[in-house]
Structure formats: structure tokens, C-alpha cells
Amino acid sequence: MRTVGSVIARRNEEAGGALIGYLPVGFPDFDTSVEAAVALVENGVDIIELGLPYSDPVMDGPVIQAATQQALANGFRLADGFEAVRRITARVDAPVLVMTYWNPVLQYGVDRFADDLVAAGGAGLITPDLIPDEASDWLAASERTGLDRVFLTAPTSTDARIRHTVDASRGFVYAVSTMGITGARADVDAAARTLVGRLHDAEAPAACVGVGISTSAQVREVLGYAEGAIVGSALVDALAKRGVEGVAELAAELARGTRPE
């Protein structure tokens, strides 16, 4: 399996940049969520961000919240997340990053979680509610296992916070394009461009922009200044309304934004 960093570097050499797609495990059901994730890669997505449903998703917008709540109502268990990673990585050659809030990892056991994720073929974690200052256990576990660790920055982050986050991250730094919860927006906030510039000034190896990206034009715009574009709510909405076929069609459309016009 190729690493997150190597995929992003390769896609920036051969195309406009990397496309990262988010979908939650277990929505609308477990098997369909695996098929949808595979369809992402088969239609041009370079890296999968696989969300673990959680009862208090503070960063997620209404589309993702509704999907993860349905997955929880269906009986999602943390073990399902590892099984999903295992099935996906057995079928496609693309890194799978798990997006998870920190409490489930803490309750499961940080070292146990890291070991099980490695065994499943996972590439690392995106942890939206964990800051590097409070991540000593995860930093140690990821160093031991070689897992990537993606921390978030926002337009309000101080220069010191950005530097600290860059130093702690591996794979890429997640640049939140606008303040607030996730969800497709007509325009990606101009603050994202400034934030990515600050990340580059802090020598981030890669900055990927998420929150609010939903069209190939927005992907192309973001890849004009960042190394990757992250799409979530639009893909979840496509899955909810049109199933795996809808996800495949939207992924193919979004991937056009990584290629020259």
C-alpha cells in the first residue's frame, strides 16, 4: 500500500494535486459503505477518509450527522471500522485514513487501536478534536507503528499553533477552509488560501483543504494553492440520494478538477 505522503507527492507531480474523499462506515449499511468507498477510488479519488460514527460529532454538518446517526442506529461497533478498512484495502491500492473523534480511541485503548488499525491495513488517523498538545499517547503510538497523524488547523490558528501542528503532523495538515461545521458551500472561503500560505511558510510538507468543497471547479480552485482537496458532505449526500452509483458519478466529476482544463 502506498503511503499518504507519497500519493500526495505523486499526484502533485502528475496532476493538479490529490483528491481525498470522505464517507462514513455503516451508512446506509455496512456492505454498501464498503462498496461506496471502493467506488471512490475506482472513479478517481486518491485517498479515502473513512469516518467512524460517533454520538457527539461536534464538527460534522447535518448531512454527515444524519448518516452517522443512522449507522449508529444500525448497530455500528468500532470493530466494524477495522473490518471496513480491511475489506477496502484488500480491493483497492489507496491509503485509507480513519477520521475519528478522540474519545472512541481513548476508550478502546490508544495502543490497541493503533495496532488493530495497522493490522487492518489503515494508513493513519484524522483527529478533528485532538490537538498536538494533548496527543502524547497518540504521538507515541503512531511513532511506534508508523501510522500517519493528521491534525487540523483553522483560519483562527496562531502562528505558534500552526508551527506546532505542522511539526506534529505526518501525511498532511488538514486546513479547515472556513469556520463552522462541515457542509457543501457555494464558495470555498477565501481564508483557506491564506491559511494554506501560512502552512507553507511553516514548511508543512502538504496542506489539504476541507469543509465546503463540492464541485470539480472548487477542487481545481483549491488545488491551485494546496496539495489536496477533501470532499465529504457532497459525497455522503450523493450516497444517501443515489446510492453507490451516485457516489461513483460524483467522484468521477470531482476528479476532473485534478486535471488540466
Side-chain angles (χ1 to χ4, degrees), residues 96-198:
V96 177
L97 285 167
V98 168
M99 197 293 284
T100 179
Y101 293 93
W102 187 238
N103 190 56
V105 179
L106 204 58
Q107 295 299 316
Y108 193 82
V110 178
D111 283 311
R112 179 187 173 206
F113 193 103
D115 290 339
D116 286 357
L117 183 58
V118 169
L125 294 183
I126 299 173
T127 49
D129 62 341
L130 181 69
I131 59 175
D133 312 63
E134 299 172 356
S136 58
D137 289 347
W138 169 229
L139 294 175
S142 56
E143 282 301 309
R144 178 177 61 80
T145 57
L147 289 167
D148 285 330
R149 46 184 185 251
V150 178
F151 294 103
L152 276 63
T153 56
T156 54
S157 298
T158 65
D159 288 342
R161 169 66 60 195
I162 284 177
R163 172 69 66 177
H164 191 30
T165 303
V166 167
D167 290 344
S169 296
R170 185 164 59 205
F172 65 88
V173 180
Y174 193 125
V176 179
S177 69
T178 187
M179 301 306 294
I181 58 176
T182 60
R185 291 175 172 83
D187 297 298
V188 176
D189 197 322
R193 187 184 296 267
T194 300
L195 175 57
V196 169
R198 295 172 68 200

